[in-house]
């Protein structure tokens, strides 16, 4: 992109236009998971142990650590009798079994939409189906889902993986998906599944969560209207990284994943007049406001909200915490 004047960087106009996506940021599952940890800390007191990052965002994890949460990757790292919270991404059954053997007091913050996929996996396996799971290897959600039907699940990421898949009974196949995938890419893989296994059974309703879909739809609009798109989210966040890919795939000349305002680079705005701004489903809105403040301080910024979908989804808290008020609510 051309520079704004000889040797200078910055927007092509006196003031940068920031197109702010709506919806953006916390989804209902993430909001619930963070509330679970905060309520547990307030009600039971620290330490509250959390298996894996409660959500994939460095600011959220750091804030909860400051309040007394202790994040572990293995339930065996929790002292016997300790209180453990399971992250929004879900767990395989053996984790729960081990925690119960060790006398841990459990609070399950698994997103209800992930739990739905777990039920689907168990149901298809009980009916004798080979299950094709569309997802990313190593992602905590995929690890958890696979654990509910390990003998039946076959993981694929691309149409090529599907084409290479050989199953004993091609007429007895089902498929499920990770909830945070790119909708367009997931549809390509599902199309490949149905091409190779025409009788494959799918889930009741889409597995990709409403928030992932809504945020990707919003970023498509930003991509069409902006010179550059910024997606606030951590590198560990699958849904945030998919949003960058969606922006680039729908016309954005440039799109960047940024953890916080400190990641901004002036050269990104060379010749730019319109910036699309959004955030992944695990990114708190405080990071969005900090980003707007940073853009305004550097370039001057006029913020215009781009309303795409009105979200009104909420999930009930786990039974152990229902009725407890948040101190900062």
């Amino acid at each position: 992109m051309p520079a704004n004047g000889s040797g200078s960087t910055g927007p092509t106009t006196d003031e940068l236009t920031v197109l702010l996506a709506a919806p953006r940021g916390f989804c209902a599952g993430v909001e619930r998971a963070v509330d679970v940890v905060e309520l547990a800390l307030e009600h039971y007191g620290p330490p509250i142990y959390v298996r894996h990052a409660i959500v994939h965002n460095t600011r959220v994890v750091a804030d909860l650590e400051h309040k007394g949460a202790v994040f572990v990757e293995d339930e065996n790292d929790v002292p016997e009798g300790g209180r453990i919270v399971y992250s929004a991404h879900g767990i395989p059954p053996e984790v729960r079994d081990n925690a119960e053997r060790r006398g841990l007091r459990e609070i399950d913050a698994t997103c209800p939409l992930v739990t739905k996929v777990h039920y689907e996996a168990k149901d298809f396996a009980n009916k004798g189906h080979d299950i094709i799971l569309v997802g990313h290897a190593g992602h905590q959600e995929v690890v958890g889902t696979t654990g509910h039907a390990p003998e039946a699940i076959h993981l694929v990421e691309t149409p090529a993986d599907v084409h290479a898949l050989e199953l004993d009974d091609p007429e007895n196949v089902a498929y499920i998906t990770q909830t945070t995938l790119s909708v367009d890419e997931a549809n390509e893989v599902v199309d490949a599944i149905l091409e190779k296994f025409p009788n494959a059974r799918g889930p009741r309703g889409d597995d990709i969560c409403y928030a992932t879909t809504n945020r990707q739809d919003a970023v498509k609009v930003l991509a069409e209207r902006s010179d550059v798109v910024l997606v606030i989210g951590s590198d560990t966040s699958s849904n945030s990284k998919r949003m960058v890919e969606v922006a680039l795939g729908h016309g954005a000349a440039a799109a960047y994943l940024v953890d916080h305002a400190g990641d901004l680079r002036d050269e990104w705005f060379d010749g730019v007049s319109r910036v699309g701004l959004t955030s992944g489903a695990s990114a708190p809105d405080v990071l969005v406001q900090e980003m707007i403040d940073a853009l305004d301080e550097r370039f001057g910024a006029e913020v215009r909200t781009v309303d795409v979908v009105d979200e009104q989804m909420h999930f009930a808290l786990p039974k152990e915490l229902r009725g407890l008020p948040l101190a900062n609510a």
Side-chain angles (χ1 to χ4, degrees):
M1 290 179 285
N4 179 24
S6 177
S8 66
T9 61
T12 56
T13 58
D14 292 337
E15 190 174 66
L16 198 66
T17 298
V18 177
L19 303 179
L20 182 61
R24 64 182 180 278
F26 276 6
C27 62
V30 166
E31 185 173 29
R32 174 182 183 267
V34 174
D35 284 350
V36 163
V37 179
E38 292 187 336
L39 277 166
L41 287 166
E42 292 173 12
H43 186 62
Y44 301 112
I48 296 294
Y49 294 88
V50 184
R51 190 183 185 278
H52 192 66
I54 186 67
V55 296
H56 285 153
N57 184 268
T58 54
R59 173 69 73 88
V60 171
V61 169
D63 287 348
L64 292 173
E65 283 179 328
H66 180 72
K67 295 176 181 178
V70 178
F71 290 89
V72 298
E73 291 300 320
D74 192 316
E75 66 280 2
N76 290 311
D77 294 331
V78 180
E80 289 192 11
R83 199 173 302 274
I84 187 170
V85 174
Y86 299 131
S87 80
H89 312 99
I91 55 169
E94 59 264 27
V95 170
R96 191 184 305 277
D97 294 341
N98 187 38
E100 290 174 355
R101 282 194 299 269
R102 300 188 64 248
L104 303 185
R105 292 169 290 178
E106 303 164 286
I107 304 175
D108 192 353
T110 302
C111 174
L113 299 180
V114 174
T115 300
K116 167 185 175 288
V117 180
H118 292 175
Y119 285 141
E120 291 166 352
K122 290 185 288 187
D123 182 55
F124 283 138
N126 289 337
K127 292 175 179 176
H129 294 294
D130 274 308
I131 304 167
I132 303 174
L133 170 58
V134 184
H136 297 296
H139 190 279
Q140 284 297 307
E141 182 184 329
V142 167
V143 172
T145 298
T146 301
H148 285 273
E151 301 303 320
I153 284 180
H154 308 267
L155 180 65
V156 298
E157 297 193 31
T158 66
D161 293 337
V162 176
H163 298 323
L165 191 61
E166 297 297 332
L167 300 178
D168 292 337
D169 186 358
E171 300 301 313
N172 197 26
V173 174
Y175 66 88
I176 55 179
T177 74
Q178 182 181 330
T179 65
T180 56
L181 299 177
S182 161
V183 177
D184 295 336
E185 290 184 5
N187 286 339
E188 289 180 6
V189 181
V190 170
D191 287 345
I193 292 171
L194 294 174
E195 180 182 349
K196 183 165 185 176
F197 306 103
N199 295 323
R201 296 184 57 188
R204 293 182 180 178
D206 199 340
D207 281 342
I208 296 178
C209 90
Y210 76 96
T212 298
T213 301
N214 290 347
R215 279 149 190 72
Q216 290 179 15
D217 286 345
V219 88
K220 290 175 185 178
V221 175
L222 294 186
E224 294 170 356
R225 301 182 185 180
S226 308
D227 302 311
V228 61
V229 174
L230 303 178
V231 178
I232 301 175
S234 295
D235 188 59
T236 51
S237 169
S238 176
N239 78 85
S240 299
K241 290 194 288 188
R242 301 292 83 74
M243 289 168 69
V244 173
E245 294 169 1
V246 168
L248 292 171
H250 283 79
Y256 303 101
L257 180 67
V258 288
D259 209 356
H260 49 75
D263 289 341
L264 289 177
R265 296 171 58 180
D266 284 346
E267 57 265 32
W268 293 349
F269 305 95
D270 186 8
V272 166
S273 62
R274 297 166 73 89
V275 173
L277 179 60
T278 187
S279 53
S282 51
D285 212 47
V286 64
L287 294 176
V288 176
Q289 189 56 56
E290 290 175 2
M291 185 68 68
I292 292 171
D293 292 343
L295 291 171
D296 188 44
E297 182 179 351
R298 292 189 189 201
F299 309 117
E302 177 194 4
V303 180
R304 301 178 186 173
T305 301
V306 178
D307 293 302
V308 178
V309 179
D310 180 24
E311 280 186 359
Q312 299 293 333
M313 181 72 75
H314 298 281
F315 294 137
L317 290 166
K319 61 182 183 300
E320 299 91 343
L321 299 173
R322 288 175 195 167
L324 297 178
L326 268 173
N328 61 354

